[in-house]
Amino acid sequence: PPRSTLFPYTTLFRSSLVGNVRNTFREFAEFVVSALRGRLDHDTMERSHQHFIVNVIAFEALRDAAYFENPDSRVRDGRLRLFNAEYMAATTSIHMLHQMMQRLRRRQCHRALAQMAGLYRELSIVLLPEGGTVPATAAEAAPLALELGQYREALPRRIAAARQAIAPDADADELLDFDSAADLLQRFTADMHHYTESYTSLARPGGRAARPAPRYVAHADPILAALSGLRGVVALLAVSAFWIATAWPSGPNAAILACVFCCLFASSPTPVLAMRTLGI
């Protein structure tokens, strides 16, 4: 049978991947702005970090599926892997920055906190000006990437001015904590800049990734792997039994798709949710 008959949902992988990329960038940018403006409490920050980890794993499963089913995804595969790697780096660095700010609060470093709050506010305005919106597509994010690059270049001077403002009154420990927080802020700004650049690169049909993406290796629990295989067998038997019992004309396609989707999304932390994103 022709490929289009056996796999009627192959185009959904690409559309689902495009939607996933856009939603991931928008969601993370909005989270960062809310965090920088002090709108999120500690528990929300921690839950969000766990959510980001789930997103990384689910994205890799979707990218693998789209790679084999869509030539356009293969052309952009290197940039998609870099996009996910930069996403991991940015989520990690903002989590570390949050932990450092918690330390400043526990130590009651009020002068350092006040200066860091000013730097936070500046970065949040770059990411999302008051009354503005997060870019909806990769092409629309190009100006944001340029602004982040300019802010990243100016940030060391702003940090130096902030340190000079607290140096006369702060003790050595507070200055050290401020330096650590400022260094993490610079790291996050660089990671966010790279992440935005990798996002904008997806708008170009050709070209290569700006940097080689680190290899993504998923470490599966053997028990979970065995259960995933068992789930695929059960799905095949259940669909086949229904096909035979009802003489369903589309039974062969359904049986094949059941096995394919079970295998493709076995590594996803939320396989049912991942399936729903395909619109099936």
Side-chain angles (χ1 to χ4, degrees):
R3 179 184 179 86
S4 59
T5 302
L6 288 177
F7 299 99
Y9 299 111
T10 55
T11 56
L12 287 175
F13 286 120
R14 181 183 180 278
S15 60
S16 182
L17 184 63
V18 171
N20 185 290
V21 168
R22 291 175 177 172
N23 290 338
T24 297
F25 183 83
R26 182 180 65 252
E27 178 188 51
F28 183 64
E30 291 173 349
F31 163 80
V32 169
V33 171
S34 296
L36 293 176
R37 293 177 180 173
R39 298 173 182 170
L40 305 179
D41 57 27
H42 176 71
D43 290 340
T44 301
M45 294 284 290
E46 292 298 319
R47 286 195 302 270
S48 297
H49 186 65
Q50 295 174 2
H51 173 68
F52 298 148
I53 295 173
V54 171
N55 284 349
V56 167
I57 300 172
F59 180 85
E60 282 298 317
L62 188 58
R63 183 190 61 78
D64 283 341
Y67 181 89
F68 290 105
E69 299 302 335
N70 188 274
D72 190 52
S73 298
R74 287 195 289 275
V75 170
R76 290 177 167 84
D77 186 65
R79 284 172 284 167
L80 287 169
R81 288 189 290 111
L82 181 62
F83 172 80
N84 206 29
E86 302 289 11
Y87 177 60
M88 284 188 280
T91 57
T92 300
S93 58
I94 195 171
H95 185 255
M96 295 171 61
L97 180 58
H98 170 67
Q99 296 296 327
M100 188 64 215
M101 294 300 288
Q102 289 292 101
R103 172 184 169 88
L104 289 177
R105 294 186 183 96
R106 288 193 301 269
R107 294 173 61 88
Q108 297 184 350
C109 299
H110 302 298
R111 288 175 289 269
L113 283 169
Q115 293 299 323
M116 288 298 299
L119 296 172
Y120 269 31
R121 186 164 51 253
E122 292 175 354
L123 179 55
S124 72
I125 292 173
V126 172
L127 289 170
L128 186 63
E130 293 293 341
T133 58
V134 175
T137 65
E140 293 178 9
L144 175 59
L146 292 175
E147 292 177 12
L148 279 171
Q150 295 171 355
Y151 180 78
R152 179 184 172 189
E153 293 179 357
L155 185 56
R157 295 192 298 273
R158 298 176 185 275
I159 290 175
R163 190 183 195 281
Q164 187 175 7
I166 67 172
D169 301 317
D171 56 24
D173 289 339
E174 184 171 3
L175 284 175
L176 180 61
D177 286 341
F178 173 82
D179 290 339
S180 299
D183 184 68
L184 288 172
L185 178 61
Q186 289 188 82
R187 173 178 170 177
F188 169 70
T189 303
D191 288 340
M192 192 67 196
H193 179 215
H194 290 155
Y195 177 51
T196 307
E197 282 186 326
S198 67
Y199 180 51
T200 60
S201 72
L202 296 173
R204 300 189 296 270
R208 296 182 178 180
R211 294 167 294 281
R215 184 181 178 187
Y216 176 89
V217 180
H219 298 278
D221 186 331
I223 297 177
L224 291 178
L227 291 175
S228 296
L230 180 62
R231 179 174 57 194
V233 172
V234 171
L236 175 61
L237 293 176
V239 175
S240 298
F242 180 80
W243 160 34
I244 295 171
T246 62
W248 186 19
S250 300
N253 291 353
I256 292 173
L257 286 171
C259 289
V260 168
F261 288 139
C262 282
C263 293
L264 286 175
F265 296 106
S267 60
S268 173
T270 54
V272 175
L273 179 60
M275 288 283 291
R276 286 176 180 172
T277 62
L278 293 176
I280 298 175

